[in-house]
Structure formats: C-alpha cells, structure tokens
Amino acid sequence: MSTVDFCQEALKTRIAPPSLGSVKRRITVAAREMGWSVSRTRDVWYADPRVSIDGEELREIEMKAGIEYGREEARDLDAAIGRATALLVEMQAHSPRTLAHALIEAARILAGSRA
C-alpha cells in the first residue's frame, strides 16, 4: 500500500466516513479537519497520481485517523515473510516445484518492499 493509498483510505473511512453524507460534504469535512484546501483534499481523496504526501502530513493523518501506516505495512511484510518461510520449509519435504513457489513469493516480498 502506497502512502497516498493509505491517506486516501484514512480520509474516506476514518476522518470523513460515509455516515457524513455525500462525497462533496465528506471532502469538505476532511479538508476542514486536516487544515488543507478542498483542492488538496480532493487530490488525496481520489489518489491523484501527481500528489505526494510529506512526512508531516502522514503523521497528521495517522494522528487524526488513529492508525499508523508503518505498523500496517510491517504487519503485511511479516505475513508475506511468514508465507515465504512456510513455502521454503515445505520445499525441503516435497518437490522442486515448491522451490519455484517460494522464489516467486520472495520476489513478491522484495517488489512490495519498494512500493
């Protein structure tokens, strides 16, 4: 999950949840809550590919949403490493095909850690 995806999800589910009404109202509420312009908030809301989130903004969203990006990412990586480890252990007991699965999973972990 990218930083922008994380922030988009936090805005939509925690900072301005669906219970507030229309998307337009939710974006306005999120902008007010974050102290951002409506335009900036809309860009993050829709995960505009040109938008970037700096460290201070990320910390502010984490604080207001009550969730932490780093911990979520660490849990995802730990789960992926666990799956790869299980495949490697299984490889010792079974066929070379399992080695291929383990290597594919390891490649996914490496590719995901760069995102």
Side-chain angles (χ1 to χ4, degrees):
M1 172 181 284
S2 74
T3 306
V4 175
D5 292 337
F6 170 81
C7 293
Q8 175 191 37
E9 187 67 23
L11 286 177
K12 289 181 172 184
T13 61
R14 303 285 184 114
I15 296 170
S19 61
L20 294 177
S22 70
V23 171
K24 183 177 180 180
R25 173 160 165 63
R26 291 169 63 201
I27 290 172
T28 303
V29 168
R32 193 175 313 119
E33 181 71 25
M34 295 305 301
W36 295 348
S37 69
V38 172
S39 173
R40 169 78 173 147
T41 306
R42 188 179 308 109
D43 288 346
V44 175
W45 186 274
Y46 291 110
D48 186 312
R50 297 170 294 179
V51 77
S52 65
I53 307 293
D54 68 27
E56 184 59 36
E57 289 172 322
L58 179 60
R59 282 187 292 281
E60 188 176 340
I61 287 176
E62 286 177 331
M63 186 178 73
K64 293 193 187 280
I67 49 180
E68 292 192 26
Y69 177 71
R71 287 186 189 165
E72 183 178 319
E73 187 173 294
R75 280 192 297 272
D76 291 346
L77 286 173
D78 284 344
I81 290 169
R83 288 191 306 271
T85 301
L87 286 171
L88 287 169
V89 168
E90 186 179 333
M91 178 205 64
Q92 293 174 346
H94 292 81
S95 70
R97 184 174 179 182
T98 308
L99 174 60
H101 289 294
L103 292 173
I104 290 168
E105 187 66 21
R108 286 184 183 138
I109 291 168
L110 291 173
S113 67
R114 292 187 198 124

